[in-house]
Amino acid sequence: MLLIKNGRIINPQSNQDEITDILIIDEIIKDIGKDLPFAANTEIIDAEGMIVAPGLVDIHVHFRDPGFTYKEDIESGAKAAAKGGYTTVVMMANTNPPIDNIETLKYVLNKGNKTGINIMTCAAVTQGLKGVETVDMAALKEAGAIGFTDDGIPLLDEEIVKSALKEAAKIGLPISFHEENPSYIRNNGINEGYASEQLGIYGSSREAEIVMIKRDLALAKEAGAKVVIQHISTKEGVALVRQAKADNVAIFAEAAPHHFTLTEEAVIKKGALAKMNPPLRTEEDRIAVIEGLKDGTIDVIATDHAPHSKEEKERDIKAAPSGIIGLETALSLGIRELVNKGYLTISELIERMSSNPAKLYELPAGNIMIGKSADLVIFDPSVMWVAEEFTSKSQNSPFIGEKMPGAIHYTICKGKVVWHSVTVS
């Protein structure tokens, strides 16, 4: 038994925001209230001064397993997630081999079941991520896939997109799109504009994202499928999604913490540590992403956790791979950039990092409710910590050395403590 006492429970799904206690027996929330009776051998966590929220849910992570486990593997990724307050994550399919077949899907899910947190995965949209032939979506759903994406690679063939949308709508699973047309990209990961000019190289035009979002929103409306626009980075992209959502409730969008925190100037200062796809863009774009999160145009904050080795990131800026890690800093960046600056309430932040992503994928997560799994994060938004050594195998973060608010004290998944900090300062 586990009793969490005196915590401020914030649960967006029930609009609960009060100081009370939670009693957990086995994996389940047994009771919520004050002065709850408990057995003599009950473990007690005193959460006075802390927020108790539903465990965070990240619908966009790369755990590099199978195939690239020197960057990250399912076990190390799960540990990084737990440290960041996440109890549920959804893996992307661009592994090696890709998750386009039942054998690889089962490997990922079986390995994930041993980690202590909830690891789900999307399957690929196309065989081998080649954009030529769609996978057997129905069979992969039956085997445990919860969505489909070729994330990392845009789907350029419009007929393939139509076919995939039609099948996704038929089986009732979301399909997520990486929106970057390579025709508008000379060197990916760097915004075409001030950053590319300062670095003396060609970059990635904002049109690369805009034209793809425009196409896929139009196709989604025809198909009636549940569609997710991934890691949105441009003000035009936000506006297109806002317009589409006005008459299509099946459109969703996600934003990564780096896109609401940083601009293209970061890649000039940090080099490849701030290189990602889509790239960091202008201050206008950053504010547009924040406004999209504020008004609900962007439903979900997802990290796009993308580990790479130190050696890879130390290559020349054009040769270094795109992507940064994000699981361990996401909540703090949300507090610092969105809550403390008045854009979102803490409840709205939790909604976009927990209950909204859970609802999108229809997961049994993102809620604090009697009789449901005890998946919780306990944190203090006022306590500072320094982003130094990460639990992830990789350390490719532009936030290294920064002091951040929002120390996570406990992450609890299925009633068990999977992360506990004793070194918060």
Side-chain angles (χ1 to χ4, degrees):
M1 296 177 68
L2 176 63
L3 179 65
I4 302 168
K5 292 184 63 66
N6 307 315
R8 178 188 172 191
I9 297 179
I10 297 181
N11 183 28
Q13 285 211 40
S14 63
N15 294 316
Q16 184 180 21
D17 185 347
E18 63 176 324
I19 296 173
T20 190
D21 304 340
I22 299 175
L23 179 64
I24 300 166
I25 298 179
D26 298 324
E27 300 181 1
I28 304 301
I29 296 175
K30 180 67 175 177
D31 206 354
I32 300 171
K34 296 181 180 178
D35 302 319
L36 299 175
F38 57 93
N41 62 345
T42 300
E43 179 184 356
I44 297 175
I45 294 175
D46 188 352
E48 185 174 1
M50 303 178 201
I51 290 172
V52 181
L56 305 183
V57 178
D58 193 345
I59 62 169
H60 192 150
V61 303
H62 299 271
F63 281 176
R64 310 303 194 196
D65 190 354
F68 308 101
T69 53
Y70 67 95
K71 302 172 189 267
E72 193 82 282
D73 57 44
I74 289 171
E75 292 91 344
S76 65
K79 289 176 182 176
K83 184 179 177 183
Y86 289 91
T87 54
T88 301
V89 299
V90 180
M91 285 179 52
M92 298 292 97
N94 59 340
T95 51
N96 185 25
I99 307 171
D100 62 357
N101 62 88
I102 291 174
E103 182 181 2
T104 305
L105 175 65
K106 289 295 187 183
Y107 163 83
V108 167
L109 294 177
N110 289 338
K111 203 168 180 182
N113 284 338
K114 302 172 184 176
T115 63
I117 70 167
N118 304 302
I119 293 185
M120 318 289 187
T121 191
C122 287
V125 175
T126 64
Q127 294 285 349
L129 304 172
K130 295 178 180 178
V132 176
E133 180 184 0
T134 56
V135 298
D136 187 338
M137 289 185 170
L140 287 162
K141 176 186 178 180
E142 181 68 22
I146 66 167
F148 299 92
T149 181
D150 275 12
D151 178 55
I153 304 172
L155 290 167
L156 300 178
D157 188 325
E158 190 167 313
E159 293 306 312
I160 288 289
V161 175
K162 288 179 180 178
S163 175
L165 284 168
K166 183 179 179 181
E167 183 62 18
K170 180 179 176 183
I171 65 174
L173 290 186
I175 184 167
S176 302
F177 290 111
H178 181 113
E179 306 290 43
E180 285 192 297
N181 189 320
S183 300
Y184 297 87
I185 300 172
R186 294 281 291 273
N187 292 115
N188 68 11
I190 299 153
N191 187 48
E192 182 183 284
Y194 179 72
S196 61
E197 290 171 4
Q198 291 298 305
L199 294 169
I201 59 176
Y202 294 101
S204 173
S205 168
R206 62 198 307 106
E207 287 300 319
E209 176 174 285
I210 296 165
V211 297
M212 295 290 283
I213 291 178
K214 189 176 294 184
R215 182 201 71 176
D216 290 336
L217 290 175
L219 294 177
K221 187 174 182 179
E222 289 179 26
K226 185 186 288 188
V227 164
V228 183
I229 305 300
Q230 295 179 301
H231 41 46
I232 199 164
S233 71
T234 60
K235 62 182 181 181
E236 294 90 346
V238 175
L240 285 167
V241 171
R242 183 178 288 116
Q243 182 180 13
K245 290 185 77 158
D247 60 0
N248 187 351
V249 295
I251 299 296
F252 300 85
E254 58 176 56
H258 42 269
H259 285 126
F260 64 67
T261 300
L262 302 172
T263 68
E264 60 183 335
E265 293 190 6
V267 76
I268 299 169
K269 297 175 184 176
K270 303 279 187 176
L273 286 179
K275 179 184 179 183
M276 71 280 295
N277 298 334
L280 300 169
R281 301 204 189 269
T282 69
E283 177 66 6
E284 280 188 31
D285 294 308
R286 188 184 76 85
I287 293 299
V289 170
I290 290 174
E291 289 299 325
L293 285 163
K294 184 177 179 179
D295 69 15
T297 297
I298 302 173
D299 316 82
V300 170
I301 293 171
T303 68
D304 192 11
H305 178 81
H308 293 292
S309 70
K310 185 173 184 288
E311 293 73 22
E312 289 169 327
K313 278 295 191 177
E314 287 179 345
R315 295 173 188 164
D316 175 79
I317 189 71
K318 290 191 287 186
S322 293
I324 68 171
I325 58 173
L327 285 164
E328 298 172 57
T329 53
L331 178 60
S332 289
L333 291 173
I335 293 168
R336 188 180 81 183
E337 300 298 325
L338 302 176
V339 177
N340 290 353
K341 293 180 180 179
Y343 295 110
L344 298 180
T345 65
I346 191 68
S347 181
E348 289 170 334
L349 177 66
I350 293 165
E351 181 182 54
R352 286 147 182 77
M353 296 186 74
S354 183
S355 55
N356 277 0
K359 287 177 184 177
L360 194 164
Y361 278 94
E362 299 180 11
L363 300 174
N367 199 3
I368 300 175
M369 186 175 177
I370 294 171
K372 300 297 182 181
S373 180
D375 294 355
L376 306 165
V377 58
I378 302 174
F379 65 97
D380 190 331
S382 66
V383 172
M384 306 295 288
W385 66 283
V386 179
E388 293 177 314
E389 286 296 315
F390 293 99
T391 299
S392 169
K393 277 189 179 182
S394 297
Q395 307 295 301
N396 54 309
S397 169
F399 303 110
I400 293 172
E402 292 191 18
K403 200 169 186 180
M404 298 189 181
I408 295 167
H409 291 264
Y410 294 89
T411 303
I412 297 166
C413 188
K414 303 170 194 171
K416 295 182 179 179
V417 175
V418 292
W419 166 256
H420 175 212
S421 174
V422 292
T423 58
V424 188
S425 60

